[in-house]
Amino acid sequence: MSSTIPLEIKNQIMTLATRTRSAAAATHLTISQAIHPCIEKLLYEKIVIHGQEDANRFLQCLYQYLMPVEFAQKSVEALFLVGSIEPSTAIEIISLCSGLVSLHLALQNNQFTTDASSLWSTLNGLPLKSLVLTLNMRFEPFLSASHTFTHLSHLKVNRNHFLGEPREMLESIQTLTHLCAVLSPHFADPDVIARLISNAHLRLIAFRVQDSHIDVKEFLEENGICNCRIVLLLAKLPVWGELGQGNMLIWELAEDMTHTALPDNYHQCLSQTQIDNAYTDYLDIPKVPEINQCAATRRPTCVHMGMARTIGLQV
């Protein structure tokens, strides 16, 4: 690469060249000392780790640095741990990456079910703004004694029964503006949902649903729940793009929908094709025709005589 090209242009070229090819980014680390910091930042800024083997390799890479703790703290901003990873390994990685602002835990073990104190102790010092939990555990008991949620603005909990019992502790998180939870009409308590709607701090209330969106909409309407901040999402959402790009993308797409006015017999929902096409900004693939099945199967809105529960619980 010619030395006459400004360094910032080189960095932009390498960013584009490696955006969809993580293996290529690792190879490009050895191209020149000038762009090494740029490529290194791309590799470590947003990390996705699948399983114990990947976790071990990641730790090996970190410990090759002269000051691994300092490097991990300043380099890794977003971390996605998914699959079968030993709790001790997960805690070690999180401890090293103490500058995390975005964390997604989707661990396939139950060792935190009975005792999650070590995990919350580790999370306690992180400057987290976004947290996604796909774990079989309870986190309410640790809220009062933890600083984990001091700066938290985005929280997603992937548990079927999360909306089945009161969650008053969420009201104490003054910084929380975006909430995503699994909504199943079979498990959800309408009073719990209404309590969430009454939280004025929340700008987005996203529900991941397995049931038909039309059925979920009718469940909400039958219980007098209607609010423009509600957006329905797919039950299964895609993993971040290569190099962790787009880790906040679905949040952004869902919030954009809350700003769109729709007729009363419509509901806000984010389709798979909308998500796929948004990821084309990160992946070198053509867009697909956008299809929202809900738009073709709208049912008339049921008229209810009672007051809609959009301002909290009725006494």
Side-chain angles (χ1 to χ4, degrees):
M1 189 176 292
S2 172
S3 59
T4 60
I5 300 178
L7 179 58
E8 57 270 21
I9 300 299
K10 294 180 182 179
N11 289 342
Q12 291 180 20
I13 292 173
M14 298 312 300
T15 299
L16 291 172
T18 59
R19 188 168 60 185
T20 62
R21 298 180 296 279
S22 55
T27 302
H28 293 335
L29 275 172
T30 61
I31 286 181
S32 75
Q33 291 183 344
I35 65 169
H36 185 278
C38 171
I39 300 300
E40 190 174 63
K41 183 177 186 297
L42 287 174
L43 280 174
Y44 284 96
E45 186 176 34
K46 299 175 182 179
I47 297 293
V48 181
I49 296 177
H50 291 264
Q52 184 67 35
E53 187 175 347
D54 276 1
N56 291 338
R57 285 200 296 263
F58 176 70
L59 288 173
Q60 290 172 2
C61 291
L62 283 184
Y63 286 126
Q64 289 179 1
Y65 287 88
L66 292 177
M67 296 185 292
V69 176
E70 291 81 355
F71 175 79
Q73 180 181 23
K74 74 174 185 179
S75 301
V76 184
E77 297 181 1
L79 177 66
F80 188 167
L81 298 180
V82 58
S84 298
I85 300 176
E86 288 296 323
S88 58
T89 303
I91 289 175
E92 181 179 3
I93 292 175
I94 297 171
S95 299
L96 287 169
C97 304
S98 57
L100 286 174
V101 295
S102 177
L103 177 63
H104 188 155
L105 295 177
L107 303 179
Q108 296 176 358
N109 56 58
N110 295 318
Q111 296 188 36
F112 289 128
T113 303
T114 56
D115 183 10
S117 58
S118 59
L119 175 62
W120 290 112
S121 176
T122 304
L123 298 182
N124 194 36
L126 300 179
L128 285 177
K129 293 183 179 179
S130 175
L131 177 63
V132 179
L133 296 173
T134 307
L135 296 170
N136 184 19
M137 59 179 290
R138 295 179 61 86
F139 62 89
E140 294 90 340
F142 299 94
L143 181 62
S144 59
S146 174
H147 299 290
T148 301
F149 300 102
T150 303
H151 306 287
L152 196 69
S153 58
H154 295 66
L155 174 64
K156 181 165 74 170
V157 182
N158 296 329
R159 288 174 53 192
N160 288 335
H161 296 274
F162 183 77
L163 296 177
E165 55 187 78
R167 303 294 175 183
E168 293 89 348
M169 50 81 190
L170 291 178
E171 299 172 10
S172 65
I173 309 175
Q174 299 297 314
T175 56
L176 189 64
T177 57
H178 296 65
L179 175 68
C180 180
V182 176
L183 192 161
S184 170
H186 309 290
F187 302 118
D189 183 340
D191 288 338
V192 172
I193 300 175
R195 186 71 175 259
L196 290 178
I197 299 297
S198 71
N199 188 336
H201 295 289
L202 293 175
R203 300 204 308 262
L204 170 68
I205 304 170
F207 293 134
R208 294 174 58 236
V209 297
Q210 184 72 49
D211 298 82
S212 161
H213 286 194
I214 302 300
D215 293 337
V216 172
K217 177 175 179 287
E218 290 183 351
F219 164 78
L220 295 174
E221 289 178 344
E222 288 169 1
N223 289 282
I225 299 171
C226 178
N227 195 279
C228 62
R229 294 172 294 164
I230 295 177
V231 176
L232 303 185
L233 303 179
L234 302 168
K236 185 175 181 180
L237 297 175
V239 178
W240 300 347
E242 294 288 341
L243 294 179
Q245 299 296 323
N247 62 306
M248 299 296 288
L249 181 61
I250 294 177
W251 285 116
E252 296 166 359
L253 292 174
E255 184 176 9
D256 285 345
M257 302 196 75
T258 65
H259 304 311
T260 303
L262 290 178
D264 291 339
N265 63 327
Y266 277 60
H267 63 273
Q268 299 282 17
C269 61
L270 193 59
S271 69
Q272 180 65 57
T273 53
Q274 287 173 299
I275 296 173
D276 291 342
N277 284 334
Y279 268 104
T280 60
D281 291 335
Y282 299 103
L283 306 175
D284 188 18
I285 57 176
K287 289 190 174 183
V288 298
E290 290 203 0
I291 301 175
N292 189 334
Q293 189 62 34
C294 292
T297 58
R298 306 288 185 188
R299 297 178 190 169
T301 299
C302 299
V303 178
H304 300 280
M305 299 303 294
M307 181 180 297
R309 295 192 287 184
T310 60
I311 58 174
L313 295 172
Q314 304 298 315
V315 179

